[in-house]
Amino acid sequence: MKRYRKLDYPVDEVRRLLEPGPVVLVSSAWKGQRNVMTLGWHTVLAFTPSLLGTMISSGNHSFELIRRSRQCVINLPTADLLDTVVGIGNCSGAEVDKFERFGLDTTPAHDVDAPLLAQCPASFECRLHDASQVKRHGLFIWEVVKAHVAKVPKRPRTLHYRGGGQFMLSGAEVSRRGLFKPEML
């Protein structure tokens, strides 16, 4: 087993090592307005019900749409959308219609008002489950109320932000399924 010699590391850079989750596109709608934003700060909180946490800054145009509507769609983009994901993150929905600018096709959601993004192989309709940390930390706790996932690709090649403008792409998988207890799968 390999051992590592560790050096001091800036604590404000720790996120670059701990944020391996996929970048998502969060679509929102409220009172005739709609927007889409790039988001890297999210986490799974529970399996049943399916709860997700997202950190959305109050300075983001989507914040008020999401806070007021209490719903959103979390869309999972793939590697072929990298430049679109960066572009969406580098402009404000207060100034431009991002759906039009980036050629995003939308379809209506089943249970929420925010649209699904047709270019993403997975979209998760979410309703606000717990707003207790929104004002203090911008932390929204969502319940996924409907999931839409394409059959192909079975394992989408997703984008993972490393900070400093660097991304990692998901790649080869390694299975250890046989080593797990069935109840831990």
Side-chain angles (χ1 to χ4, degrees):
M1 198 174 322
K2 186 173 183 163
R3 293 175 185 253
Y4 295 90
R5 180 178 168 269
K6 298 178 186 100
L7 304 173
D8 288 345
Y9 192 77
V11 295
D12 61 343
E13 298 291 321
V14 167
R15 69 180 183 87
R16 296 178 191 265
L17 299 170
L18 294 176
E19 287 185 332
V23 171
V24 296
L25 295 172
V26 179
S27 53
S28 56
W30 186 69
K31 288 195 174 184
Q33 296 179 52
R34 65 183 193 160
N35 195 34
V36 61
M37 65 173 287
T38 299
L39 179 78
W41 291 354
H42 57 83
T43 188
V44 172
L45 297 171
F47 302 131
T48 306
S50 180
L51 299 181
L52 306 175
T54 62
M55 199 303 278
I56 301 172
S57 169
S58 62
N60 189 296
H61 180 65
S62 289
F63 179 87
E64 282 300 317
L65 299 178
I66 291 168
R67 186 184 69 80
R68 291 177 185 273
S69 69
R70 302 175 63 86
Q71 54 184 260
C72 70
V73 175
I74 297 175
N75 301 276
L76 184 67
T78 51
D80 59 313
L81 291 177
L82 177 58
D83 291 341
T84 299
V85 166
V86 172
I88 289 169
N90 281 330
C91 66
S92 172
E95 300 167 1
V96 64
D97 180 336
K98 295 183 193 183
F99 299 96
E100 184 178 313
R101 176 177 278 184
F102 297 102
L104 298 173
D105 299 320
T106 62
T107 57
H110 186 268
D111 292 333
V112 301
D113 296 327
L116 310 178
L117 298 181
Q119 288 88 350
C120 295
S123 298
F124 311 114
E125 297 183 38
C126 300
R127 289 197 185 278
L128 192 59
H129 178 79
D130 182 342
S132 65
Q133 297 299 308
V134 171
K135 187 174 182 180
R136 186 169 184 192
H137 298 291
L139 178 64
F140 293 79
I141 299 175
W142 302 104
E143 180 175 354
V144 178
V145 295
K146 184 94 173 144
H148 309 267
V149 179
K151 282 188 167 187
V152 177
K154 187 172 182 175
R155 289 185 175 72
R157 192 153 190 226
T158 54
L159 308 165
H160 303 258
Y161 191 59
R162 305 285 305 264
Q166 300 293 312
F167 289 83
M168 175 176 65
L169 302 179
S170 62
E173 291 188 7
V174 178
S175 176
R176 293 296 183 270
R177 188 177 181 96
L179 300 177
F180 278 75
K181 296 177 182 178
E183 65 273 14
M184 301 304 281
L185 287 174

